[in-house]
């Protein structure tokens, strides 16, 4: 079992930045790929970014490439999502997720989820 807790969300103006954190606890963090997803009101949860266990491979949805950066610190059992040049359309609840093995970009591929953190970008 892996427990995930997100933090770092908030209200920011368009063009601003935020850094989300996801702290993992429970059984070993080793071998788990991590992902960030988001869900806006009335929309389905969508993939944002993913990172392999080693951190050597990262993946992003097209709309955030060049603006968001996913990273991880395995010693701290924490995954980060640095978000720059935020846009109003980035407004959503952001969720951290974990899966054992290779990365994925679908909700169904992840086994563990955090409770989410709200990100609101004002225009």
């Amino acid at each position: 079992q892996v427990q995930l807790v997100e933090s770092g969300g908030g209200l920011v103006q368009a063009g601003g930045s935020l850094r989300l954190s996801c702290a993992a606890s429970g059984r070993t963090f080793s071998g788990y790929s991590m992902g960030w997803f988001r869900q806006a009101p009335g929309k389905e949860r969508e993939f944002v970014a993913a990172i392999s266990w080693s951190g050597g491979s990262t993946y992003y949805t097209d709309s955030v490439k060049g603006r968001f950066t996913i990273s991880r610190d395995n010693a701290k059992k924490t995954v980060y999502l640095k978000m720059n040049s935020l846009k109003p359309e980035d407004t959503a609840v952001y969720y951290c997720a974990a899966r054992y093995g290779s990365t994925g970009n679908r909700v169904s591929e992840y086994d563990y989820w955090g409770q989410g953190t709200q990100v609101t970008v004002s225009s």
Side-chain angles (χ1 to χ4, degrees):
Q1 193 77 6
V2 175
Q3 291 81 41
L4 303 172
V5 178
E6 302 96 334
S7 61
L11 173 63
V12 64
Q13 288 189 333
S17 298
L18 283 174
R19 189 180 78 158
L20 306 183
S21 299
C22 172
S25 61
R27 63 187 298 174
T28 180
F29 196 47
S30 176
Y32 281 84
S33 293
M34 303 297 293
W36 284 97
F37 290 76
R38 66 187 179 187
Q39 187 167 18
K43 294 188 176 181
E44 293 187 352
R45 194 169 298 188
E46 65 174 1
F47 171 76
V48 176
I51 188 167
S52 61
W53 152 243
S54 68
S57 297
T58 57
Y59 305 91
Y60 301 90
T61 192
D62 286 346
S63 63
V64 308
K65 284 180 181 176
R67 299 189 298 123
F68 291 11
T69 303
I70 188 171
S71 61
R72 66 190 296 164
D73 184 335
N74 288 340
K76 296 182 178 179
K77 293 186 178 181
T78 302
V79 177
Y80 305 97
L81 185 69
K82 182 65 188 302
M83 305 184 295
N84 296 325
S85 302
L86 282 161
K87 304 175 180 180
E89 51 263 44
D90 294 318
T91 295
V93 177
Y94 282 71
Y95 296 90
C96 173
R99 71 185 300 263
Y100 189 79
S102 60
T103 55
N105 63 358
R106 292 179 290 185
V107 171
S108 60
E109 293 178 310
Y110 286 79
D111 302 308
Y112 303 102
W113 292 84
Q115 83 291 346
T117 186
Q118 176 71 47
V119 171
T120 303
V121 184
S122 63
S123 57

